[in-house]
Amino acid sequence: MNDSYVYIIVALLPLAASMVVLQVNPYHALVIRGILGAVAALVYAVLGAADVALTEALVGTMLAITLYAVAVRSSLVMRLGILNDESSEADDDGYFGQLMDNLRTIFGKRHMRLEVVPYTNTQALHRALMDKEVHAICAPSEQSYQDDALPGDEKQPYHTAIRVQRIYDIIQNELSSPGTTLTYVNTLDSGEKHP
């Protein structure tokens, strides 16, 4: 009896596992993880362990992939707080639209979504940042953090305050829009003064 097809199917397991580990895009990794689970279920079925194959197919593949997809979808979001009236101002000067396009491009490279959360006033916007409802806030410069500007700095129409150091580093290194100044805000420091 020639069982060479079993060896070929079993050889797909380490291949699929290494592809999952080396995948950069988390959504592609989910698909490959599903393929890995399906191959494992097939191996169990071919070897006569139908109960283990069914368990692998249902729990190891379908349920795990669903839970991973929900986790990936919810964790790869950068929430940006803005004022309600900024969208109308964006039409006047174009800086805000350009800034949003640049941020979407930056986070798109990292397979993240930019979620814009509007707030009614500046106090609510800053409170949302301090209460960790959003990762960053973007407000017109005259309404936020004017004390942080250095002498000789060019006046920017918007100021973006970011509470996550890694997001701040990414934006600082890659933002090409001249329409905003960036500030890292340490939300753990309760004595820090913010408007």
Side-chain angles (χ1 to χ4, degrees), residues 12-14 16-17 20 31-41 56 61:
L12 293 175
L13 287 173
V20 169
V31 171
I32 296 170
R33 170 58 179 94
I35 293 169
L36 175 65
V39 169
E56 175 64 31
T61 303

Side-chain angles (χ1 to χ4, degrees), residues 28-176:
H28 293 167
L30 286 174
V31 171
I32 296 170
R33 170 58 179 94
I35 293 169
L36 175 65
V39 169
L42 180 63
V43 168
Y44 295 139
V46 166
L47 295 177
D51 56 339
V52 180
L54 183 62
T55 303
E56 175 64 31
L58 293 176
V59 177
T61 303
M62 291 176 24
L63 182 61
I65 295 303
T66 303
L67 294 177
Y68 293 159
V70 169
V72 166
R73 179 77 175 151
S74 64
S75 66
L76 293 177
V77 174
M78 202 288 271
R79 293 174 51 95
L80 177 68
I82 63 166
L83 293 175
N84 273 336
D85 59 346
E86 282 187 30
S87 58
S88 63
E89 291 176 15
D91 296 333
D92 296 340
D93 57 17
Y95 284 117
F96 187 74
Q98 182 183 4
L99 176 62
M100 291 298 107
D101 290 342
N102 285 340
L103 289 176
R104 282 188 179 92
T105 301
I106 290 169
F107 291 112
K109 291 179 196 174
R110 288 161 177 80
H111 313 289
M112 295 177 69
R113 290 180 296 125
L114 178 65
E115 182 179 316
V116 178
V117 182
Y119 288 91
T120 56
N121 58 40
T122 306
Q123 291 79 17
L125 188 66
H126 292 286
R127 179 57 40 211
L129 184 66
M130 292 301 128
D131 291 344
K132 299 181 180 180
E133 294 175 16
V134 294
H135 299 105
I137 59 173
C138 184
S141 290
E142 59 271 7
Q143 295 180 352
S144 65
Y145 300 103
Q146 292 207 0
D147 297 334
D148 293 340
L150 298 172
D153 278 353
E154 182 182 325
K155 180 78 170 154
Q156 302 292 343
Y158 291 98
H159 184 90
T160 304
I162 305 164
R163 69 172 175 83
V164 179
Q165 180 69 45
R166 180 67 182 136
I167 292 175
Y168 174 76
D169 293 340
I170 289 170
I171 294 174
Q172 184 181 28
N173 291 333
E174 295 189 26
L175 188 66
S176 62

